[in-house]
Amino acid sequence: MSDRFDCKNCNESLYGRKYILAEDNPHCIPCYDRLYANTCQECKEIIGHNAKLFYENRHYHEHCFRCFRCDRSLADEPFTSQDDALVCSDCYRNEFSSKCVACDKTVMPGSRMLEYDGSTWHEDCFACHGCEKPIGTEAFIPDKNNYYCVPCYEGRFAPQCSHCKKALTKGGVTYKDEVWHKECFLCTGCKTPLAGQPFTSQGESPYCVKCFSNLYAKKCAGCNTAITGFGDGKYVSFQERQWHQPCFKCSRCSVSLVGSGFFPDRDLILCTDCNNED
């Protein structure tokens, strides 16, 4: 007598019938569906053993596995998930993908694109407003609602250095309503860069302190050094002679004469007390 081959659950013979192994035990189809079948995520009904789809721990009947937006079957279509809802690729692109602000067409997921200030472009659509060539990944300069490659912006908008006549795009020095590159703003005498340094001018020409002192500054009658107007720049002038304020003092007792009466005595200047002694 042959061994019995029965369903583990209902004990009915499985000879000549379809069966499914579950936990290493044979089950007839009705028992298997009743004990092990999953519930469809969409319609909430039992899914038979021979008709099911599985996605991210969720089960579906084949006819329930459809796009949430257009209701097309996703059984053989590419799809994605949006807030737990299944969406076909076309609906996802139309509803969730960015649109190019230049051509108003969808920027396909995975395609090369550029994003700036909340807007999106196809890479080939992000073009210079001047020469109309694609900017790509090169540097650009925004101006209001337009975008320019660096050469076009410099040619159209950037001020020109008064010395070299080339575009000034960052930094620089302003002097007498004109602009210079920092490296172009030089002392007229020794050609030393003046950016960040004290300087003065003679006519329209800028000079460093040393060159101005050597060429144009008057000499203090007290210390015989140049009066430049820098540092302690105040000075006293009397009868074609000038003094730094700290140098304007009595020739005998060295008391400061700034704001006080004084008396000239040939090349000397005397305070009131020293003058009275004479």
Side-chain angles (χ1 to χ4, degrees), residues 193-208:
L194 296 177
Q197 304 297 324
F199 68 92
T200 187
S201 63
Q202 180 65 23
E204 297 298 318
S205 302
Y207 289 87
C208 67

Side-chain angles (χ1 to χ4, degrees), residues 231-271:
D232 189 1
K234 296 181 180 180
Y235 66 95
V236 178
S237 180
F238 176 72
Q239 291 184 348
E240 305 299 326
R241 290 187 291 172
Q242 290 79 31
W243 292 261
H244 297 107
Q245 276 196 359
C247 296
F248 190 59
K249 53 191 176 182
C250 177
S251 300
R252 290 183 180 174
C253 69
S254 298
V255 67
S256 174
L257 298 177
V258 177
S260 302
F262 64 92
F263 297 89
D265 183 8
R266 293 181 297 277
D267 292 336
L268 306 177
I269 50 173
L270 302 175
C271 65

Side-chain angles (χ1 to χ4, degrees), residues 151-183:
C152 282
Y153 184 84
E154 291 179 351
R156 287 178 176 232
F157 303 106
Q160 289 187 337
C161 174
S162 296
H163 176 71
C164 69
K165 308 304 179 185
K166 295 181 179 179
L168 189 83
T169 57
K170 61 180 179 179
V173 176
T174 301
Y175 176 68
K176 290 187 180 294
D177 296 326
E178 294 184 342
V179 294
W180 283 262
H181 295 108
K182 290 181 179 180
E183 60 272 18

Side-chain angles (χ1 to χ4, degrees), residues 8 20-27 32 36:
K8 177 66 176 177
I20 299 174
L21 288 176
E23 300 176 357
D24 294 329
N25 293 308
H27 291 73
Y32 178 87
Y36 297 102

Side-chain angles (χ1 to χ4, degrees), residues 69-238:
R69 298 293 178 186
C70 68
D71 204 38
R72 70 195 288 184
S73 173
L74 300 177
D76 298 311
E77 297 284 342
F79 66 91
T80 186
S81 177
Q82 185 70 24
D83 296 330
D84 291 333
L86 301 178
V87 183
C88 68
S89 296
D90 290 341
C91 287
Y92 182 86
R93 287 195 296 266
N94 292 334
E95 188 160 346
F96 301 106
S97 294
S98 300
K99 285 194 175 182
C100 174
V101 297
C103 68
D104 200 36
K105 294 181 180 179
T106 300
V107 179
M108 303 294 285
S111 63
R112 296 174 67 87
M113 66 179 184
L114 291 168
E115 293 181 311
Y116 176 75
D117 198 24
S119 297
T120 304
W121 289 261
H122 294 109
E123 186 177 45
D124 292 340
C125 291
F126 189 62
C128 171
H129 189 72
C131 64
E132 299 184 352
K133 294 180 180 179
I135 296 174
T137 57
E138 299 297 323
F140 66 92
I141 301 171
D143 181 70
K144 297 179 182 178
N145 293 325
N146 298 320
Y147 305 90
Y148 294 87
C149 64
V150 174
C152 282
Y153 184 84
E154 291 179 351
R156 287 178 176 232
F157 303 106
Q160 289 187 337
C161 174
S162 296
H163 176 71
C164 69
K165 308 304 179 185
K166 295 181 179 179
L168 189 83
T169 57
K170 61 180 179 179
V173 176
T174 301
Y175 176 68
K176 290 187 180 294
D177 296 326
E178 294 184 342
V179 294
W180 283 262
H181 295 108
K182 290 181 179 180
E183 60 272 18
C184 291
F185 188 60
L186 308 175
C187 170
T188 305
C190 66
K191 308 304 179 185
T192 298
L194 296 177
Q197 304 297 324
F199 68 92
T200 187
S201 63
Q202 180 65 23
E204 297 298 318
S205 302
Y207 289 87
C208 67
V209 175
K210 183 178 180 180
C211 286
F212 181 83
S213 299
N214 292 337
L215 294 172
Y216 302 107
K218 296 178 180 180
K219 297 294 194 300
C220 173
C223 67
N224 201 37
T225 61
I227 299 175
T228 63
F230 296 97
D232 189 1
K234 296 181 180 180
Y235 66 95
V236 178
S237 180
F238 176 72

